[in-house]
Amino acid sequence: MFTGIIQALGTISALENKGSDIRLTVESTGLNMADVKLGDSIATNGVCLTVVDFSDTYYQADVSAETIKHTGFTTYKAGTKVNLELAMRPMDRFGGHIVSGHVDGVGNVTKINQHKDYFEVWIKAPDELAKYIAHKGSITVDGVSLTVNEVDGAEFMLWIIPHTLKETVIGQYKVGSKVNLEVDVVARYLERLLLGDKAAQPATSGIDMAFLAQHGFLKN
């Protein structure tokens, strides 16, 4: 489990094809690798990866074809900067929100507006994720725990302070950038809970407008 508070920036130094998978090498002098062990997890732009080799200044992880398909790894190359966070320890401060490192989809940066004290970043999420994104709710973007400041359909807006721009890859975003999105896990559990006994039925049944109206969540 992670918190979405980025601990260091890293640079992808190599991507080695291994059949349908990729062996990824990430270099970082800012990440504290002192207590890292083989098999530990490191969130890499919000993707939970398992360490298969490491030293004081780098680690390697195998990225499956499934992960590549559903994340921004399809566009990564040697030299790409990534946000890094070690898995949370029980005694750590919980500064962000619950982050699993399981990316739900890839969004696109649609607009960036610079203001005096912050940047306004708009991101278009996949349509199927729009229902999980709420005003003042939490969302993870490339592993960063952020608060949603405005929602317009499947697009949402974030206020990014200068410190976050400096310490994460968000400072490199431009219109068209692809970003890894993980919605708040509480929203997913709530969706499942609302199904009630229908949760045991085949996956073809789910929550739709008729279901919400029947259970009093929509008013005429």
Side-chain angles (χ1 to χ4, degrees), residues 4-25:
I5 304 301
I6 302 305
Q7 297 168 335
L9 286 172
T11 302
I12 296 176
S13 59
L15 298 99
E16 176 188 356
N17 288 326
K18 296 179 70 66
S20 60
D21 297 348
I22 288 177
R23 173 68 57 88
L24 180 78
T25 302

Side-chain angles (χ1 to χ4, degrees), residues 104-168:
D104 293 302
V106 177
N108 290 287
V109 176
T110 59
K111 187 165 48 178
I112 300 176
N113 297 321
Q114 183 174 358
H115 298 268
K116 181 179 179 181
D117 299 318
Y118 66 94
F119 277 70
E120 178 184 314
V121 179
W122 283 87
I123 296 174
K124 171 70 165 60
D127 288 349
E128 62 271 19
L129 297 184
K131 59 185 176 181
Y132 303 112
I133 302 172
H135 180 229
K136 297 301 181 183
S138 296
I139 192 165
T140 307
V141 180
D142 278 342
V144 184
S145 171
L146 296 166
T147 299
V148 177
N149 294 102
E150 192 172 331
V151 181
D152 183 8
E155 288 191 78
F156 62 95
M157 185 266 283
L158 308 165
W159 287 348
I160 309 298
I161 61 174
H163 175 80
T164 304
L165 287 173
K166 179 182 176 182
E167 300 296 331
T168 72

Side-chain angles (χ1 to χ4, degrees), residues 165-177:
L165 287 173
K166 179 182 176 182
E167 300 296 331
T168 72
V169 300
I170 295 177
Q172 301 177 25
Y173 287 176
K174 57 186 178 181
V175 173
S177 292

Side-chain angles (χ1 to χ4, degrees), residues 172-185:
Q172 301 177 25
Y173 287 176
K174 57 186 178 181
V175 173
S177 292
K178 295 186 179 300
V179 297
N180 294 322
L181 301 177
E182 180 185 332
V183 299
D184 192 344
V185 67

Side-chain angles (χ1 to χ4, degrees), residues 60-77:
Q60 293 185 323
D62 291 335
V63 185
S64 69
E66 182 71 8
T67 299
I68 295 168
K69 177 181 177 183
H70 293 288
T71 68
F73 273 94
T74 55
T75 63
Y76 295 174
K77 57 186 178 181

